[in-house]
Amino acid sequence: MAGALAVAPTAARVAVIGGGPGGLYAAALLKRLAPAREITLWERNAPDDTFGFGVVLSDETLGGIETADPVVHAALAREFVRWDDIDVVHRGGVLRSGGHGFAALGRRRLLGLLHDRCRALGVELRFREEAPPAARLARSYDLVVAADGVHSRTREAHREHFRPSLTTHRCRYIWLAADFALDAFRFEIAETEHGVMQLHGYPYAPDASTIIIEMREEVWRRAGLDRCDESASVEQCGKYFPELLAGRPLRSNRSAWTAFRTVVNERWSHGNTVLLGDAAHTAHFSIGSGTKLAVEDALALAGGLTRATSVPEALAAYEAERRPLVESTQRAARASLEWFEDLAVHVDQPPRRFAFNLLTRSRRVTHDNLRLRDPQFVASVEAEAGIPPGTPPMFTPFRLRGLTLRNRVVVSAMDMYSATDGTPGDFHLVHLGARALGGAALVMTEMVCVSPQGRITPGCTGLYTPEHETAWRRVTDFVHTQAPGTAIGVQLGHSGRKGSTRRQWEGIDEPLPAGNWPVVAPSPLPYRPGLNQIPQALGTDGLAAVREQFAHAARAADRSGFDLLELHCAHGYLLSAFLSPLTNRRTDAYGGDLTARLCYPLEVFDTVRAVWPRDKPMTVRISATDWAEGGTTADDAVAIARAFAAHGADAIDVSTGQVVPDERPAFGRSYQTPFADRIRHETGVPVIAVGAISSWDDVNSLILAGRTDLCALARPHLYDPHWTLHAAADQGYEGPGAPWPVQYLKGSRKPPTGRGA
């Protein structure tokens, strides 16, 4: 293939801007695959100028390098230092977890190897020379590769095309080195008079280690490090970790304190110019090297050019291949960096749970994965947590007031839009009954509306007539009789300005074509101006009437046999709309600062709690962020949770968003869990985590790490009503946390498949 490409390669003339590992490797690989290519690389610094010290590459990346260029792989293999362990050092203890597998080498040595490879292949390297602007290069070269880093001039010169988004985060960090080799990847925590600091360290040579010191911005300032020059910073950092250094100095390389910036681009190419590495995307150093991503970009770009018949086709293929992988990495990196930003929240955890929490912070390492790597370590964490041997964390009991749940799985509230005049029917009996038989400890109803005007759609259920009460009693009786030990909870709510709309499958949030009813809200702000109706702002009489509707529904819920009541204060419905500054513009006692915006939801809570039986738990669902500028923040969510807990809430069900239509949520696996985690640790109130939790491995990981007390799953229970029982079977668990209905016992093992059946 290389010979064929040498005749007429796609992109015969290539310009590379930036001589970091990504740019150099892209140049070498493109030249190797098509020797006839003319490739010129510009690097404004000297050949041996570099920042940082060590570079970590994964086995996956190395495998790609070996396939694409065995010469480079062999050169790297001779230089690597390898190790398997991670040490977590905290409060005088060292906990080691093994089986991880790392490979690293010095950044300067990596650059030297790539320089040699480029020269051997015939790439023209121009050091100490500023590259011409990409727009000028694009006129004389077939392809321009912009590998010019996080501060990419190319990206900035063409912002209107690449549409970058740069987020600066809350910690300061500095890259340093030590002249001795660590024998493990080391995370060390220092609790100083200024605040919590952390060290990330790893070996990159037989006699050298990278040392990164990181801390929150305010800690950095309190420590006076904002006033230190390079030399003073190095000296001061050495004092924070005396046991590791034992008097040995740290050293720098033009090291400076900086705040990490996450770079995201809507587009990675513009004409025949393409972004690569940090110019296109960044991922926090706590989950791995930016060099790794840049090298993988180069591999994908070279592959695209090899297979394509034109540069535009190649660039489209490159982005299509890399973007999903990069976005996944960036989600994991963001989870990791935010965990370290909030490190002070976690430091009081028991030592093994703290270490497990740290190791699983990005969601890429999980309970099951870590158990395969180091079963003894995971067993020690479980023992510290009091989990019986052979019991997955998800199958441990949990108590809320007078209700003991046999496991940590909740069937999340899901609107079914299948009621008639608010009355649940056979569908609800089968839907909720099937999931009660499926093993979850707690099954939640959909949002049950407290009045006809409080419905979202004509198909929403209610608890405002005797017929509703009788129908719900039929459901709860089935659950308690046929699925003994399963609890059933009711979620009470009022739609507010999001009411009088069509069923979800008919057009979500779309007004009814006929038969609309008037809607109410804290302020006369329609959900979508020009489409949804303008709500009436509730006055004194209206506020009192709605409070009484909630109280009436709560009494009916008790008579209907529900075990738990949840007050819905999320997703932009009425009580949620009082909490958010984006939807509450009142100037009376119920509007203004957060304390005022909390007043009415707390009044409703108190009214319901007063009539709900004392031994039955009551939870509150909140939107922990509006995902919109000027809306509810994570700090607000902590204050909201603390307020409800002070009024008697037994747990907070932590959701996010759906408050305003122009939200920009950061979707991803268990993406809402960090909000629950923070609320749990800062307030001490139990939490229910929800949102893209889809595997039993995720549930085990979140429970054992102490990030949540219960996990609510929605779509997995639509896919499989017996999700919890099947999770037990998959893990070989047959204990009291997941009893099979006697009628289903013969199906408690997976049916045999294949020829041996």
Side-chain angles (χ1 to χ4, degrees):
M1 182 178 292
L5 282 171
V7 176
T10 303
R13 300 187 75 234
V14 179
V16 181
I17 304 173
L24 286 165
Y25 188 59
L29 196 54
L30 291 172
K31 185 69 172 176
R32 177 183 179 272
L33 290 172
R37 280 194 180 111
E38 175 190 333
I39 301 181
T40 305
L41 181 146
W42 283 266
E43 169 54 52
R44 61 183 175 179
N45 295 311
D48 58 350
D49 283 351
T50 185
F51 302 94
F53 298 94
V55 173
V56 179
L57 296 176
S58 68
D59 289 340
E60 180 183 13
T61 305
L62 292 174
I65 293 173
E66 183 176 21
T67 300
D69 192 339
V71 174
V72 171
H73 181 268
L76 292 173
R78 289 191 293 268
E79 301 286 340
F80 274 131
V81 294
R82 293 181 176 272
W83 71 99
D84 293 321
D85 298 328
I86 298 176
D87 284 347
V88 178
V89 185
H90 179 39
R91 293 184 175 173
V94 181
L95 288 171
R96 173 164 288 190
S97 173
H100 298 279
F102 297 99
L105 78 164
R107 183 178 175 88
R108 183 171 281 125
R109 186 64 188 127
L110 172 61
L111 292 176
L113 294 174
L114 294 174
H115 293 161
D116 293 344
R117 184 57 173 155
C118 284
R119 291 190 183 100
L121 290 166
V123 174
E124 181 181 356
L125 301 178
R126 297 185 179 183
F127 293 106
R128 300 186 181 90
E129 184 177 341
E130 195 74 54
R136 188 190 308 168
L137 291 172
R139 291 195 291 268
S140 54
Y141 285 84
D142 301 313
L143 174 66
V144 179
V145 179
D148 48 350
V150 65
H151 302 293
S152 171
R153 295 184 180 185
T154 305
R155 184 186 65 228
E156 292 307 304
H158 302 283
R159 289 184 63 89
E160 71 278 13
H161 296 287
F162 295 119
R163 299 181 64 83
S165 172
L166 281 68
T167 304
T168 302
H169 298 283
R170 297 179 291 172
C171 282
R172 291 277 182 162
Y173 68 95
I174 189 169
W175 287 82
L176 303 171
D179 291 324
F180 60 89
L182 293 166
D183 63 351
F185 208 122
R186 187 179 183 94
F187 293 102
E188 183 167 349
I189 313 304
E191 295 177 82
T192 75
E193 61 182 317
H194 312 295
V196 179
M197 304 176 183
Q198 59 260 25
L199 176 150
H200 310 246
Y202 57 88
Y204 68 85
D207 58 353
S209 298
T210 291
I211 302 292
I212 307 169
I213 310 297
E214 185 183 27
M215 64 198 72
R216 285 284 289 259
E217 172 97 15
E218 60 269 26
V219 176
W220 177 70
R221 293 188 182 279
R222 285 197 295 265
L225 291 165
D226 58 325
R227 301 185 296 275
C228 290
D229 61 15
E230 182 178 355
S231 175
S233 288
V234 173
E235 181 181 359
Q236 194 68 20
C237 285
K239 296 177 181 178
Y240 299 131
F241 302 93
E243 292 185 16
L244 170 65
L245 297 174
R248 295 169 292 189
L250 293 169
R251 58 182 169 88
S252 64
N253 175 21
R254 292 179 293 172
S255 304
W257 291 99
T258 188
F260 189 81
R261 302 174 83 190
T262 295
V263 175
V264 175
N265 285 278
E266 288 188 15
R267 303 185 186 94
W268 291 4
S269 63
H270 165 49
N272 61 346
T273 299
V274 64
L275 302 178
L276 183 145
D278 284 353
H281 46 70
T282 59
H284 193 251
F285 53 81
S286 62
I287 71 159
S289 169
T291 301
K292 171 186 179 296
L293 289 177
V295 167
E296 291 172 349
D297 283 355
L299 288 164
L301 179 61
L305 286 165
T306 300
R307 295 185 294 270
T309 58
S310 68
V311 168
E313 181 186 345
L315 299 187
Y318 157 69
E319 185 168 346
E321 177 183 341
R322 288 295 293 154
R323 183 178 285 278
L325 299 171
V326 167
E327 288 178 346
S328 175
T329 299
Q330 288 188 308
R331 286 193 293 269
R334 188 176 184 101
S336 179
L337 78 85
E338 288 178 347
W339 193 93
F340 282 111
E341 284 181 338
D342 293 330
L343 182 59
V345 169
H346 306 290
V347 292
D348 289 329
Q349 286 189 300
R352 287 176 174 79
R353 171 165 277 183
F354 175 83
F356 180 86
N357 197 352
L358 187 153
L359 294 175
T360 59
R361 67 195 179 280
S362 73
R363 308 168 203 151
R364 290 201 153 186
V365 176
T366 63
H367 173 266
D368 197 47
N369 177 265
L370 197 53
R371 188 172 56 179
L372 289 173
R373 299 183 189 199
D374 192 341
Q376 290 184 328
F377 173 79
V378 174
S380 74
V381 180
E382 292 176 344
E384 179 190 71
I387 297 172
T391 301
M394 66 184 293
F395 292 118
T396 54
F398 190 75
R399 187 175 180 84
L400 287 172
R401 204 169 284 235
L403 177 66
T404 297
L405 302 175
R406 65 188 176 204
N407 62 52
R408 306 301 185 95
V409 181
V410 178
V411 176
S412 194
M414 296 175 279
D415 289 319
M416 294 289 110
Y417 308 109
S418 300
T420 302
D421 294 327
T423 304
D426 290 347
F427 177 88
H428 299 85
L429 175 66
V430 174
H431 166 67
L432 294 170
R435 280 139 192 90
L437 292 170
L442 173 64
V443 177
M444 293 298 302
T445 68
E446 61 196 82
M447 185 175 89
V448 176
C449 304
V450 298
S451 69
Q453 293 75 29
R455 292 176 297 164
I456 309 166
T457 76
C460 289
T461 57
L463 250 176
Y464 46 84
T465 72
E467 291 78 16
H468 299 161
E469 192 174 323
T470 300
W472 282 120
R473 187 80 207 196
R474 181 175 174 233
V475 174
T476 62
D477 282 349
F478 178 89
V479 171
H480 293 143
T481 303
Q482 301 300 328
T486 301
I488 182 166
V490 60
Q491 184 187 75
L492 292 184
H494 187 297
S495 60
R497 70 175 187 163
K498 295 178 75 176
S500 190
T501 60
R502 306 181 193 194
R503 293 172 175 85
Q504 186 180 52
W505 51 86
E506 297 170 342
I508 188 168
D509 296 324
E510 297 282 342
L512 293 169
N516 285 280
W517 57 84
V519 296
V520 296
S523 303
L525 303 171
Y527 181 63
R528 288 179 296 182
L531 182 62
N532 298 103
Q533 61 177 290
I534 298 174
Q536 178 185 354
L538 284 167
T540 302
D541 292 343
L543 294 169
V546 171
R547 276 197 304 271
E548 181 50 40
Q549 289 166 0
F550 272 97
H552 179 271
R555 295 187 191 95
D558 179 40
R559 292 191 297 268
S560 298
F562 287 104
D563 304 299
L564 175 148
L565 186 150
E566 179 165 280
L567 189 65
H568 201 335
C569 297
H571 300 169
Y573 298 124
L574 181 64
L575 299 183
S576 169
F578 273 91
L579 294 172
S580 173
L582 297 178
T583 51
N584 183 344
R585 305 288 176 80
R586 298 175 75 100
T587 57
D588 62 3
Y590 296 113
D593 63 13
L594 180 57
T595 300
R597 298 197 307 274
L598 266 162
C599 283
Y600 187 67
L602 288 174
E603 286 181 6
V604 173
F605 179 92
D606 291 342
T607 300
V608 172
R609 183 70 267 184
V611 301
W612 185 243
R614 292 179 59 86
D615 63 326
K616 290 186 179 184
M618 188 169 164
T619 64
V620 179
R621 172 168 274 201
I622 67 170
S623 284
T625 176
D626 292 343
W627 298 115
E629 186 175 354
T632 299
T633 67
D635 289 341
D636 294 336
V638 172
I640 291 168
R642 187 176 281 119
F644 278 114
H647 282 244
D650 298 291
I652 305 298
D653 187 355
V654 186
S655 186
T656 64
Q658 302 180 51
V659 175
V660 291
D662 57 343
E663 66 179 3
R664 299 190 66 183
F667 287 122
R669 187 164 128 247
S670 59
Y671 70 105
Q672 297 176 153
T673 301
F675 298 97
D677 187 2
R678 183 176 172 192
I679 288 170
R680 184 181 190 271
H681 284 93
E682 290 198 26
T683 69
V685 65
V687 296
I688 306 169
V690 62
I693 302 170
S694 57
S695 73
W696 50 259
D697 194 17
D698 284 338
V699 176
N700 283 329
S701 301
L702 296 170
I703 297 297
L704 188 57
R707 294 181 201 146
T708 188
D709 299 286
L710 298 165
C711 289
L713 297 90
R715 293 180 186 181
H717 282 113
L718 294 180
Y719 181 77
D720 179 4
H722 293 82
W723 185 90
T724 307
L725 294 180
H726 291 156
D730 287 346
Q731 297 174 82
Y733 174 74
E734 298 179 350
W740 282 73
V742 292
Q743 299 93 330
Y744 291 174
L745 275 176
K746 291 183 180 179
S748 62
R749 298 182 185 278
K750 280 189 174 181
T753 59
R755 291 180 179 272

